[in-house]
Amino acid sequence: MHWDREVDVLVFGAGMGGMTAALVASLEGLDVLLCEKTDQVGGTTSTSAGTVWIPGSAQAKRDGVPDSIDDARRFLEAEIGPRALAQREAFLDAGPAALDYLDARTEVKFRAPPRHPDYHSNQPGRALAGRALAPLPFDGRLLGKDFALVRPPIAPFMVLGGMMVGKDDIAILLKPFASLNAFAAAAKLMLRHATDRLRYRRGTRLVMGNALVGRLFYSLKKRNVPIAFDARLAELVNANGCVEGAVVGIGTARQAIRARRGVILATGGFAPSEKLRAEFMHDLPVAHSNAFAGANGDGFSAARAAGAAVDAKHTSPAFYFPSSLHKDTVYPHILLDRAKPGLIAVNSDGRRFVNESDSYHDFVEGMFRANAATSSVPAWLICDRGFIRDYGIGLVHPGAGNRQIERYIADGYLKHGETVMELAQRIGVDGKNLLRTIQEHNRYAATGVDEAFGKGGTEYNQFNGDPANKPNPCLRPIVEPPYFAVAVYPSTMGTCVGLSTDGDARVLDPDDRAVGGLYAVGNDMASLFRGVYVGPGITLGPALVFAYRAVMHIARG
Ligand SMILES: Cc1cc2nc3c(=O)[nH]c(=O)nc-3n(C[C@H](O)[C@H](O)[C@H](O)COP(=O)(O)OP(=O)(O)OC[C@H]3O[C@@H](n4cnc5c(N)ncnc54)[C@H](O)[C@@H]3O)c2cc1C
């Protein structure tokens, strides 16, 4: 084999998994090259909320919400049973150390918000806070002209031509005159954004996934870690069951690059790939993806071709959002509308089928279950005029005026009716049932108890509701015409099916033997949660921890 270039560690994919791996490899004194297929870093990570689920961290203790690994272990046992036990222990063991390592030596830093519950708050060992950590905001100006190399969030997650809005900013921006502090904070945000727009194409105050990517990229730059852009993994080179390097398409050329110590795949799984979705999710009605289009199975397929085994034994083959569709946008309904009081979801029968304030993944699982008996794809989110005023629905912002509403009605995104029957007719659902469903829901709103699906019944439900709404933060009557509806479809945010790996992220063959020299992290690796969505940050958390473990394994030799 003629090699054009040699390094110690060759990493593919500049998202959470790959950037962390390259950063740790550099810190461990290894000669590393990070190859990214596109002309920007970030992948799906840059459009994410950036939350990492890592139990028992020093950061949680520091921020006053300590968490215990034993509790997390009990929680995972209740959620997933004995599956993926070795990987789980490796994850729990290395999580706090990986966070401390990055915190001490890089710009990758997290905080623990005072409240961010696990998704099934009825399970033993669940946490209300401390496991889900958020990246600290990042000042994109520190990257200089390389700020343009950070993939931006999807357009609906920004306002005013490119200003990122974190969860904490929403209340301030919606009600700037609520208090002196709110006014000062809102004015500061606006001023910063106005100044940014004089020099940059979008705001440089980065939050959530963009802050995480900005911090990783800045840390890589500070250490002069080489990143090859437009450099695509074409195929792995293996000899005698051992991966020795890869053929990389760089622009129109091809280079054979030898990896003396290991190749790390972090190309983001295969959520957007119709072909692979058809192979692993063929019995489910999922036609859309929220993942970055470039993360479409390259690493997964190259590893399979090199003899890797696939782990497809998951409760669900992927993690899902309910998403509405508008032109090219697949808009995920994560937390801003479904759990709020005054919204229900119905299927084509005009009946509810799920607790609307459960997690996005559980909501979609509910859609699949209902769809087996009655057409529930799409499902319809239903609300009234007052709901849009207070919370917005999908792309329609809170406080939207009639002009914005009419624009979304005109292009078909938003359906409306002066009466419930008129709305039902426009969306093609059974009108009498829809009327009955709303009347029943309104009775539950009066008592505060949703006898049908328990909306607002868990800590997680209430976390995303409106604390000012009594007696139940997730229930309020739907009574103020006109009535509105938005169609939602299941979409994949990321894949759970992935390459079979061990506790050090080594890729395994069908006999559970490590394929020498090959590691997989992020969504290229099968999810250790085996298709159960236990809490916020369960793809980025393991991506960070297993990138760290993979490199430490390589460094140990
Ligand atoms: C709206 C939204 C919010 C989310 N919020 C969260 C959250 O808060 N917490 C959480 O845990 N998860 C969240 N997720 C999921 C999470 O973003 C992804 O699971 C995660 O980013 C995957 O990370 P990764 O490193 O595996 O891949 P990615 O971040 O997608 O990076 C993969 C990179 O590999 C590159 N690549 C692909 N093929 C090749 C190739 N052949 N050669 C070289 N490079 C290649 C791609 O271009 C891309 O840059 C969210 C997802 C969405 C859509």
Side-chain angles (χ1 to χ4, degrees), residues 13 16-17 36-37 44-45 48-51 233 268 294 298 523 537 539-540:
M16 177 72 176
E36 164 55 43
K37 155 164 114 171
T44 310
T45 309
S48 76
T51 305
L233 166 67
D298 290 358
N523 288 355
T539 68
L540 293 173

Side-chain angles (χ1 to χ4, degrees), residues 23-40:
L23 184 56
V24 177
S26 152
L27 285 161
E28 289 304 302
L30 297 163
D31 173 20
V32 58
L33 174 66
L34 173 58
C35 294
E36 164 55 43
K37 155 164 114 171
T38 67
D39 56 3
Q40 285 180 312

